[in-house]
Protein backbone atom coordinates (compact mmCIF):
# COMPACT_ATOMS: atom_id res chain seq x y z
CA UNK A 1 0.00 0.00 0.00
CA UNK A 2 1.24 3.56 -0.69
CA UNK A 3 2.58 5.86 2.02
CA UNK A 4 0.21 8.72 1.18
CA UNK A 5 -3.51 8.70 1.77
CA UNK A 6 -5.57 9.04 -1.42
CA UNK A 7 -8.86 10.85 -1.61
CA UNK A 8 -11.63 9.11 -3.50
CA UNK A 9 -13.68 11.92 -5.00
CA UNK A 10 -16.72 12.15 -7.24
CA UNK A 11 -15.48 14.10 -10.22
CA UNK A 12 -18.23 14.29 -12.80
CA UNK A 13 -21.74 13.12 -13.60
CA UNK A 14 -22.05 11.17 -16.82
CA UNK A 15 -25.67 10.16 -16.90
CA UNK A 16 -28.83 9.63 -14.94
CA UNK A 17 -31.90 7.47 -15.24
CA UNK A 18 -35.30 9.10 -15.39
CA UNK A 19 -38.17 6.99 -14.18
CA UNK A 20 -41.92 7.44 -14.43
CA UNK A 21 -44.22 9.28 -12.00
CA UNK A 22 -43.19 9.60 -8.35
CA UNK A 23 -39.79 7.97 -9.01
CA UNK A 24 -36.46 9.38 -7.91
CA UNK A 25 -33.70 10.54 -10.22
CA UNK A 26 -30.63 8.37 -9.59
CA UNK A 27 -27.34 9.95 -10.70
CA UNK A 28 -24.54 7.70 -11.84
CA UNK A 29 -21.35 9.42 -10.73
CA UNK A 30 -18.05 7.79 -11.65
CA UNK A 31 -15.27 8.66 -9.25
CA UNK A 32 -11.52 8.96 -9.44
CA UNK A 33 -8.75 8.50 -6.92
CA UNK A 34 -7.03 11.81 -6.25
CA UNK A 35 -3.56 11.97 -4.67
CA UNK A 36 -2.86 15.21 -2.79
CA UNK A 37 0.62 16.69 -3.19
CA UNK A 38 2.52 19.72 -1.96
CA UNK A 39 5.72 19.92 -3.99
CA UNK A 40 6.81 20.28 -7.58
CA UNK A 41 8.34 16.84 -8.14
CA UNK A 42 7.11 14.40 -10.76
CA UNK A 43 7.12 10.64 -11.25
CA UNK A 44 6.65 8.06 -13.98
CA UNK A 45 3.06 6.83 -14.28
CA UNK A 46 0.88 4.89 -16.69
CA UNK A 47 -2.53 5.34 -18.26
CA UNK A 48 -4.64 2.30 -19.14
CA UNK A 49 -6.04 3.13 -22.58
CA UNK A 50 -8.12 1.27 -25.16
CA UNK A 51 -7.71 2.37 -28.78
CA UNK A 52 -10.90 3.86 -30.21
CA UNK A 53 -9.75 3.17 -33.79
CA UNK A 54 -6.88 1.65 -35.74
CA UNK A 55 -3.97 4.01 -35.10
CA UNK A 56 -0.29 4.16 -35.98
CA UNK A 57 2.19 4.01 -33.12
CA UNK A 58 3.14 7.61 -33.90
CA UNK A 59 -0.51 8.70 -33.72
CA UNK A 60 -0.99 7.16 -30.28
CA UNK A 61 2.27 8.69 -29.08
CA UNK A 62 1.20 12.08 -30.40
CA UNK A 63 -2.21 11.78 -28.73
CA UNK A 64 -0.49 11.62 -25.34
CA UNK A 65 2.76 13.47 -26.16
CA UNK A 66 4.80 10.44 -25.18
CA UNK A 67 7.83 8.81 -26.78
CA UNK A 68 6.94 6.10 -29.34
CA UNK A 69 9.75 3.82 -28.18
CA UNK A 70 8.66 4.21 -24.56
CA UNK A 71 5.11 3.38 -25.61
CA UNK A 72 6.16 0.20 -27.42
CA UNK A 73 8.53 -0.86 -24.66
CA UNK A 74 5.88 -0.40 -21.98
CA UNK A 75 3.67 -2.81 -23.90
CA UNK A 76 6.36 -5.37 -24.79
CA UNK A 77 5.94 -4.64 -28.51
CA UNK A 78 8.96 -5.40 -30.71
CA UNK A 79 10.86 -2.24 -31.59
CA UNK A 80 13.56 -3.90 -33.71
CA UNK A 81 11.89 -3.79 -37.11
CA UNK A 82 12.18 -0.82 -39.45
CA UNK A 83 9.63 2.00 -39.61
CA UNK A 84 8.20 0.90 -36.27
CA UNK A 85 6.50 4.26 -35.67
CA UNK A 86 4.21 3.58 -38.64
CA UNK A 87 3.17 0.18 -37.30
CA UNK A 88 -0.64 0.09 -37.11
CA UNK A 89 -2.19 -0.88 -33.78
CA UNK A 90 -5.70 -2.38 -33.99
CA UNK A 91 -8.85 -0.80 -32.60
CA UNK A 92 -9.80 -1.94 -29.05
CA UNK A 93 -6.20 -2.86 -28.22
CA UNK A 94 -5.49 -2.10 -24.56
CA UNK A 95 -2.25 -0.20 -24.02
CA UNK A 96 -0.23 1.10 -21.11
CA UNK A 97 0.62 4.72 -21.92
CA UNK A 98 3.73 6.01 -20.09
CA UNK A 99 3.41 9.59 -18.85
CA UNK A 100 5.01 11.96 -16.38
CA UNK A 101 2.83 12.68 -13.35
CA UNK A 102 3.15 16.18 -11.88
CA UNK A 103 1.84 18.08 -8.88
CA UNK A 104 -0.59 20.75 -10.10
CA UNK A 105 -2.79 22.87 -7.83
CA UNK A 106 -2.23 20.50 -4.93
CA UNK A 107 -3.11 17.22 -6.68
CA UNK A 108 -1.37 14.73 -8.91
CA UNK A 109 -2.24 14.98 -12.59
CA UNK A 110 -0.64 15.04 -16.01
CA UNK A 111 -1.08 18.31 -17.89
CA UNK A 112 1.37 17.73 -20.74
CA UNK A 113 -1.21 16.39 -23.19
CA UNK A 114 -2.45 18.68 -25.94
CA UNK A 115 -5.21 17.81 -28.41
CA UNK A 116 -5.85 19.58 -31.72
CA UNK A 117 -9.56 19.61 -32.51
CA UNK A 118 -10.99 18.10 -35.68
CA UNK A 119 -14.28 18.73 -37.54
CA UNK A 120 -17.37 17.66 -35.55
CA UNK A 121 -15.38 17.33 -32.29
CA UNK A 122 -17.21 18.07 -29.05
CA UNK A 123 -15.82 18.13 -25.52
CA UNK A 124 -17.93 15.10 -24.66
CA UNK A 125 -16.66 13.11 -27.65
CA UNK A 126 -13.04 14.04 -27.00
CA UNK A 127 -13.36 12.97 -23.37
CA UNK A 128 -15.34 9.75 -23.82
CA UNK A 129 -14.18 8.50 -27.21
CA UNK A 130 -10.73 9.87 -28.00
CA UNK A 131 -9.42 9.64 -24.42
CA UNK A 132 -11.56 6.71 -23.33
CA UNK A 133 -13.10 8.26 -20.22
CA UNK A 134 -9.75 9.15 -18.64
CA UNK A 135 -10.96 12.74 -18.53
CA UNK A 136 -14.38 14.37 -18.42
CA UNK A 137 -15.81 17.10 -20.64
CA UNK A 138 -16.06 19.34 -17.57
CA UNK A 139 -12.38 18.85 -16.76
CA UNK A 140 -11.38 19.80 -20.32
CA UNK A 141 -13.70 22.82 -20.12
CA UNK A 142 -12.14 24.01 -16.87
CA UNK A 143 -8.57 23.39 -17.99
CA UNK A 144 -9.14 25.55 -21.08
CA UNK A 145 -11.39 28.23 -19.50
CA UNK A 146 -14.20 27.46 -21.93
CA UNK A 147 -17.22 29.48 -20.84
CA UNK A 148 -19.78 27.88 -23.15
CA UNK A 149 -19.18 24.12 -23.55
CA UNK A 150 -22.11 23.87 -25.97
CA UNK A 151 -20.49 26.25 -28.45
CA UNK A 152 -18.83 24.60 -31.48
CA UNK A 153 -15.10 24.10 -31.20
CA UNK A 154 -12.84 25.74 -33.76
CA UNK A 155 -11.15 23.21 -36.01
CA UNK A 156 -7.45 23.12 -35.17
CA UNK A 157 -7.97 24.55 -31.70
CA UNK A 158 -5.40 23.26 -29.20
CA UNK A 159 -6.85 21.98 -25.93
CA UNK A 160 -5.10 21.05 -22.71
CA UNK A 161 -6.26 17.57 -21.66
CA UNK A 162 -5.68 16.97 -17.93
CA UNK A 163 -5.22 13.28 -17.22
CA UNK A 164 -5.29 11.33 -13.94
CA UNK A 165 -2.15 9.88 -12.41
CA UNK A 166 -0.63 8.91 -9.08
CA UNK A 167 2.86 8.60 -7.61
CA UNK A 168 2.46 7.48 -3.98
CA UNK A 169 6.24 7.83 -3.58
CA UNK A 170 6.79 5.17 -6.23
CA UNK A 171 6.15 2.34 -3.79
CA UNK A 172 3.48 -0.18 -2.87
CA UNK A 173 3.89 -2.14 0.35
CA UNK A 174 7.48 -0.84 0.48
CA UNK A 175 8.30 -2.27 -2.95
CA UNK A 176 8.96 -0.24 -6.13
CA UNK A 177 5.78 0.39 -8.12
CA UNK A 178 4.39 2.51 -10.91
CA UNK A 179 0.71 3.42 -10.74
CA UNK A 180 -1.67 2.97 -13.65
CA UNK A 181 -4.87 4.99 -13.95
CA UNK A 182 -7.48 2.51 -15.13
CA UNK A 183 -11.04 3.19 -16.32
CA UNK A 184 -13.40 0.52 -14.98
CA UNK A 185 -15.34 -1.38 -17.66
CA UNK A 186 -18.92 -2.66 -17.23
CA UNK A 187 -17.69 -6.27 -16.95
CA UNK A 188 -15.01 -5.50 -14.35
CA UNK A 189 -14.95 -6.51 -10.70
CA UNK A 190 -12.38 -5.49 -8.14
CA UNK A 191 -11.33 -9.12 -7.71
CA UNK A 192 -10.91 -9.54 -11.45
CA UNK A 193 -8.81 -6.38 -11.75
CA UNK A 194 -6.65 -7.47 -8.81
CA UNK A 195 -6.02 -10.89 -10.38
CA UNK A 196 -5.23 -9.39 -13.78
CA UNK A 197 -2.59 -7.03 -12.39
CA UNK A 198 -1.10 -9.38 -9.79
CA UNK A 199 -2.23 -7.49 -6.72
CA UNK A 200 -4.91 -8.02 -4.07
CA UNK A 201 -8.39 -6.68 -3.48
CA UNK A 202 -7.21 -5.37 -0.11
CA UNK A 203 -4.37 -3.43 -1.71
CA UNK A 204 -6.65 -1.89 -4.34
CA UNK A 205 -9.12 -0.87 -1.65
CA UNK A 206 -6.35 0.76 0.38
CA UNK A 207 -4.76 2.55 -2.56
CA UNK A 208 -8.11 3.91 -3.76
CA UNK A 209 -9.65 4.57 -0.33
CA UNK A 210 -12.60 2.30 -1.11
CA UNK A 211 -15.07 1.51 1.64
CA UNK A 212 -16.29 -1.61 -0.16
CA UNK A 213 -15.47 -3.73 -3.18
CA UNK A 214 -18.24 -2.10 -5.20
CA UNK A 215 -17.01 -0.35 -8.35
CA UNK A 216 -18.87 0.85 -11.42
CA UNK A 217 -18.17 1.52 -15.05
CA UNK A 218 -16.36 4.80 -15.55
CA UNK A 219 -14.64 4.83 -12.16
CA UNK A 220 -10.91 5.54 -12.44
CA UNK A 221 -8.73 3.40 -10.18
CA UNK A 222 -5.05 3.72 -9.36
CA UNK A 223 -3.49 0.27 -9.81
CA UNK A 224 0.02 -0.50 -8.54
CA UNK A 225 2.12 -2.26 -11.15
CA UNK A 226 5.20 -4.30 -10.35
CA UNK A 227 8.43 -2.38 -10.09
CA UNK A 228 9.79 -4.70 -12.78
CA UNK A 229 8.44 -2.35 -15.42
CA UNK A 230 10.04 0.69 -13.81
CA UNK A 231 13.48 0.32 -15.40
CA UNK A 232 11.94 -0.67 -18.72
CA UNK A 233 10.72 2.74 -19.76
CA UNK A 234 11.18 5.36 -17.03
CA UNK A 235 14.36 6.75 -18.64
CA UNK A 236 12.66 6.89 -22.04
CA UNK A 237 9.69 8.77 -20.60
CA UNK A 238 11.93 11.35 -19.00
CA UNK A 239 13.37 12.20 -22.40
CA UNK A 240 10.02 13.31 -23.87
Amino acid sequence: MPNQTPISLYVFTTSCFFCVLFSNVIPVTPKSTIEPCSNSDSCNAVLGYTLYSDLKVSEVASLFQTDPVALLTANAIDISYTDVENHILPSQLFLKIPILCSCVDGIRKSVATRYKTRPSDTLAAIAASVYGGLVSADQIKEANSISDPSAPLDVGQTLVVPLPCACFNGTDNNLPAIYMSYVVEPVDSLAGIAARYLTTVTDLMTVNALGSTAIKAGDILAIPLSGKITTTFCILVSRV
Side-chain angles (χ1 to χ4, degrees):
M1 66 186 70
N3 295 328
Q4 292 174 266
T5 303
I7 303 172
S8 191
L9 295 178
Y10 290 94
V11 293
F12 56 92
T13 300
T14 57
S15 62
C16 57
F17 299 98
F18 294 94
C19 302
V20 201
L21 296 173
F22 307 110
S23 296
N24 292 323
V25 176
I26 306 173
V28 178
T29 51
K31 54 188 177 181
S32 178
T33 297
I34 306 297
E35 180 190 357
C37 56
S38 58
N39 51 40
S40 59
D41 67 333
S42 60
C43 73
N44 296 301
V46 176
L47 299 171
Y49 177 68
T50 301
L51 296 184
Y52 67 95
S53 177
D54 292 352
L55 293 174
K56 294 180 181 179
V57 171
S58 59
E59 290 176 313
V60 180
S62 177
L63 198 60
F64 293 94
Q65 276 78 63
T66 193
D67 181 74
V69 175
L71 172 64
L72 293 170
T73 304
N75 293 278
I77 298 174
D78 186 8
I79 62 173
S80 63
Y81 52 88
T82 58
D83 205 26
V84 66
E85 293 184 3
N86 286 319
H87 177 67
I88 296 177
L89 303 172
S91 177
Q92 300 305 303
L93 177 67
F94 181 82
L95 294 172
K96 298 183 182 75
I97 308 291
I99 60 169
L100 281 178
C101 184
S102 303
C103 182
V104 182
D105 298 328
I107 63 171
R108 292 288 181 190
K109 67 173 94 170
S110 173
V111 292
T113 297
R114 301 291 185 272
Y115 176 79
K116 186 168 289 188
T117 57
R118 299 171 293 193
S120 302
D121 268 343
T122 64
L123 294 184
I126 294 169
S129 179
V130 178
Y131 287 97
L134 286 163
V135 65
S136 71
D138 282 345
Q139 289 169 332
I140 298 176
K141 175 179 74 72
E142 292 171 7
N144 295 276
S145 301
I146 297 174
S147 57
D148 183 6
S150 63
L153 298 170
D154 295 330
V155 175
Q157 180 179 350
T158 299
L159 299 176
V160 176
V161 181
L163 296 167
C165 61
C167 294
F168 293 124
N169 296 321
T171 62
D172 179 52
N173 294 312
N174 298 316
L175 295 175
I178 285 179
Y179 285 84
M180 177 173 71
S181 296
Y182 175 82
V183 181
V184 174
E185 299 290 341
V187 296
D188 280 334
S189 68
L190 203 62
I193 293 171
R196 191 184 319 155
Y197 294 105
L198 305 179
T199 185
T200 65
V201 169
T202 299
D203 199 19
L204 289 181
M205 290 180 68
T206 301
V207 168
N208 293 280
L210 298 176
S212 74
T213 59
I215 54 174
K216 54 186 175 297
D219 287 351
I220 301 176
L221 301 177
I223 300 176
L225 302 178
S226 167
K228 293 178 180 179
I229 71 168
T230 305
T231 55
T232 305
F233 64 85
C234 64
I235 296 175
L236 292 168
V237 175
S238 66
R239 293 175 181 168
V240 176

